[in-house]
Amino acid sequence: MENLIEAIRKSCETENWHAALYIALTMPDICAGIENPGTTSKGVRYKAWFDEYLRQAFVGNGSFCFLTADDCWALRNSLLHEGSDMLQGAKAIVSQVKFTTLNMHRCRVEDVALFNVAAFCGDVIKAVQTWLERKGSDPEIAERLSAMARVEKSTFDIGLVRFGR
């Protein structure tokens, strides 16, 4: 999980905004899938994880909400599958999400939400770290975390075959 968090951070540092955003939007999928593999639909898992760990980052004064679980799921789907910031499918409060590098975060104009991309990614990282603190020591979750895909950077074995030096 740390490799994905670091990938988001490095992407923000190098202003590779799309990479940072696309990884950030998949983190609720990954965490929810590790915690509850094979249960319910991916959308249901994603939204439940968002509500538990990320929702508070998008609630303003009182109960004003800049982004709901339904909105984030629709954003994830629109961006990853169509490259669009226009939300498709069930939307709770917004029809479009605009990301910016300007010094603004958590703004809404009519039904368009505006987020600073680095701050948005930071909110996701914080939520993932909270999830790891709460769930990462569970033996089943720790085992699934250790089995996550990784890029091999040195010598590694597959069966009886050794790759690298």
Side-chain angles (χ1 to χ4, degrees):
M1 190 64 66
E2 289 300 322
N3 59 342
L4 295 175
I5 292 170
E6 188 60 22
I8 296 169
R9 283 191 179 121
K10 284 184 178 179
S11 294
C12 286
E13 288 169 10
T14 60
E15 298 182 5
N16 188 351
W17 302 120
H18 286 88
L21 185 57
Y22 283 48
I23 297 168
L25 284 169
T26 63
M27 295 304 281
D29 273 323
I30 294 166
C31 295
I34 287 171
E35 185 174 352
N36 297 301
T39 59
T40 66
S41 76
K42 289 174 179 56
V44 170
R45 284 191 320 208
Y46 187 103
K47 292 174 199 179
W49 192 94
F50 178 97
D51 282 338
E52 187 169 349
Y53 296 99
L54 196 50
R55 181 183 182 282
Q56 199 56 40
F58 299 105
V59 174
N61 294 336
S63 62
F64 187 83
C65 190
F66 294 99
L67 193 71
T68 67
D70 286 332
D71 293 329
C72 197
W73 174 249
L75 172 64
R76 170 226 179 266
N77 291 335
S78 293
L79 271 177
L80 295 178
H81 298 295
E82 299 171 3
S84 174
D85 59 7
M86 299 295 296
L87 277 56
Q88 304 297 317
K91 296 176 285 294
I93 58 173
V94 298
S95 65
Q96 186 175 20
V97 175
K98 288 288 190 188
F99 290 96
T100 182
T101 59
L102 300 176
N103 191 23
M104 60 174 61
H105 187 53
R106 296 184 198 116
C107 302
R108 222 171 72 209
V109 178
E110 297 175 4
D111 66 344
V112 178
L114 298 130
F115 300 108
N116 175 280
V117 66
F120 181 91
C121 290
D123 290 338
V124 172
I125 288 171
K126 183 178 177 184
V128 171
Q129 289 172 326
T130 299
W131 176 78
L132 282 169
E133 289 168 9
R134 292 183 190 169
K135 304 289 183 169
S137 61
D138 177 289
E140 290 180 9
I141 291 174
E143 182 178 334
R144 288 187 207 101
L145 284 167
S146 70
M148 286 180 61
R150 70 182 111 257
V151 175
E152 301 294 344
K153 300 177 195 171
S154 61
T155 302
F156 65 98
D157 299 324
I158 298 177
L160 298 175
V161 179
R162 175 159 284 195
F163 296 89
R165 291 184 173 199

